[in-house]
Amino acid sequence: MTERPVSASPVSAPPPRFIGSEIYRRSTYGGRHPLAIPRVSTCIDLCRALGWLPDAVYVDSPRATPKQLARFHDPAYIAAVQRAERQQRLSEEEQLRFNLGRNGNPIYAEVFRRPATACGASILAGELLAEPGVIHSPAGGTHHGRADHASGFCYFNDPVLGILAMLDAGLTRIAYLDIDAHHGDGVQDAFHDDPRVFTLSIHEDARWPMKASGPDEAPAAGSVDDRAGGLARNLPVPAGFNDSEMAFLMEEAVLPMIAGFAPEALVLQCGADGLEEDPLSKLSLSNGALWRVVSQVRALAPRLLVLGGGGYNPWSVGRAWAGVWATLNGFPVPERLPAAAEAVLRGLDWRHSKGRNPPDHWFTTLADPPRDGPLRREVRGLAARVTAP
């Protein structure tokens, strides 16, 4: 069998750890919500079918307690999410106050337990990464969550809680890189004035939740001129953003800026909604572009936490995140998947027009073909502007 190697820089022991949970297998946002698909369970099943996930490196995620969540979130909001799970409803006043049961943030059976489990994983990862190491937690990456309300399918903000756990453990320089198709607004705003945390987001220009400049003429949130309190950078990329352009921005802007910050730890939000097959963006990346980012940032800090994030096509997101785990471990990715892994992918169902007649390679391969393309002037300009003093 011909195999395609996935490069990864060597790191000291312990080997990379994977934090997961079975709660995601049976939980769904319901109906035709974009998150009514299996994602974390697909990634876990693929990794196991490929022999990449032995019990020795798999960690079952704890569930964050209300006290742990209150390190960032308003206790009244936490209580409201718990109440929403118990009662499966909230008053209209509470829905408006907490943005629950509306605006894409439904009240569903595990509306507290599921996001609290993702937060428990990131908090545990932050505690474990008091020492050098590498951790993959694909259930994480809920980067829109606000201290006192839900936002953008995100009820709690696990990246913020994971970073806070690292800071509480004594780290003083943490870099956060977000390559989701949507701006990492919740994380940027949480550390707006904290010189210990450098945030950098690559996202689709004019994609939700981009906001226009206010009356004070401050830069629009997520725009290339938005630097928050100073230690934030943003790269809003055009529709059709391709592998060649991602490689250019990484080499010319992202890697130098992160290296210049000299982080003790790096958190990578590796949302898969920038892939060409995803229905919630107009970007055109292959999963190989995401894996190269993972490989490139591996050596930038002695501690690395790789989270999930967006991703709304079950085949593309499951394949992408399994490949992230392969990259972190240096596992070769087979050109053709073995029968057990193919069975995982053939067992998926997606109630979307793109899921009616899925192409055969969604079942039989892990790696997408490269999606190289032209390096456009506006992308070159982004690199120059974001690195300017």
Side-chain angles (χ1 to χ4, degrees):
M1 178 176 63
T2 304
E3 294 184 322
R4 180 178 306 173
V6 178
S7 62
S9 302
V11 295
S12 58
R17 285 165 284 190
F18 188 115
I19 304 180
S21 173
E22 285 299 295
I23 193 172
Y24 309 106
R25 187 179 303 279
R26 62 180 184 271
S27 173
T28 172
Y29 277 39
R32 294 187 176 273
H33 192 283
L35 283 176
I37 59 170
R39 305 183 327 148
V40 177
S41 59
T42 299
C43 173
I44 291 172
D45 291 348
L46 279 173
C47 290
R48 285 180 172 154
L50 285 157
W52 292 347
L53 194 57
D55 291 344
V57 299
Y58 180 85
V59 180
D60 191 54
S61 175
R63 184 189 308 162
T65 65
K67 181 178 179 180
Q68 288 177 309
L69 295 170
R71 180 66 179 84
F72 174 65
H73 291 282
D74 181 347
Y77 171 59
I78 298 167
V81 182
Q82 291 180 293
R83 191 161 57 252
E85 179 169 298
R86 287 195 308 269
Q87 301 175 353
Q88 287 299 289
R89 62 178 298 276
L90 288 175
S91 68
E92 183 176 353
E93 177 184 356
E94 289 176 313
Q95 289 186 41
L96 290 171
R97 177 182 174 186
F98 300 116
N99 203 29
L100 291 169
R102 60 196 300 274
N103 294 335
N105 307 307
I107 295 172
Y108 62 98
E110 302 86 14
V111 69
F112 174 78
R113 284 173 290 161
R114 174 171 164 162
T117 301
C119 290
S122 289
I123 293 168
L124 175 61
E127 293 169 347
L128 292 172
L129 291 174
E131 301 296 330
V134 175
I135 296 176
H136 186 205
S137 179
T142 53
H143 57 172
H144 299 308
R146 298 297 177 148
D148 61 357
H149 65 273
S151 178
F153 312 162
C154 302
Y155 297 85
F156 301 127
N157 197 311
D158 74 273
V160 169
L161 290 163
I163 292 170
L164 287 172
M166 294 183 204
L167 295 173
D168 292 344
L171 301 188
T172 59
R173 299 181 70 80
I174 299 172
Y176 172 79
L177 173 60
D178 192 315
I179 59 173
D180 194 284
H182 302 81
H183 180 223
D185 59 334
V187 183
Q188 175 179 301
D189 290 351
F191 297 106
H192 186 282
D193 299 309
D194 194 330
R196 300 172 298 175
V197 181
F198 172 60
T199 65
L200 197 162
S201 178
I202 305 172
H203 48 269
E204 185 178 347
D205 189 23
R207 175 67 55 184
W208 187 95
M210 292 282 285
K211 300 176 178 67
S213 297
D216 58 356
E217 299 303 322
S223 69
V224 70
D225 297 316
D226 175 18
R227 297 191 173 189
L231 275 184
R233 296 294 186 272
N234 287 287
L235 288 161
V237 299
F241 182 62
N242 59 54
D243 289 10
S244 303
E245 292 173 324
M246 175 66 93
F248 173 81
L249 288 183
M250 289 296 296
E251 291 292 342
E252 296 297 319
V254 175
L255 297 176
M257 286 191 290
I258 294 177
F261 184 68
E264 299 167 293
L266 189 145
V267 178
L268 172 62
Q269 200 271 19
C270 199
D273 48 1
L275 301 181
E276 188 170 73
E277 299 89 352
D278 198 274
L280 292 193
S281 85
K282 294 182 180 179
L283 305 184
S284 299
L285 297 172
S286 72
N287 55 25
L290 305 190
W291 302 346
R292 279 191 295 277
V293 170
V294 173
S295 181
Q296 288 173 306
V297 303
R298 177 82 179 272
L300 293 179
R303 302 162 180 85
L304 175 63
L305 171 58
V306 182
L307 304 172
Y312 307 98
N313 172 333
W315 287 285
S316 63
V317 70
R319 292 163 65 240
W321 290 348
V324 166
W325 181 240
T327 304
L328 292 172
N329 286 276
F331 296 144
V333 172
E335 292 283 353
R336 169 83 190 213
L337 289 174
E342 182 176 335
V344 171
L345 295 170
R346 290 195 181 276
L348 299 176
D349 180 58
W350 187 27
R351 294 183 180 181
H352 188 279
S353 58
K354 292 186 177 182
R356 292 172 187 162
N357 295 292
D360 198 57
H361 71 267
W362 287 6
F363 306 135
T364 60
T365 66
L366 207 65
D368 296 328
R371 289 172 186 149
D372 297 320
L375 178 53
R376 290 168 287 179
R377 180 182 303 174
E378 56 263 48
V379 175
R380 288 185 181 274
L382 282 174
R385 289 175 64 185
V386 80
T387 55

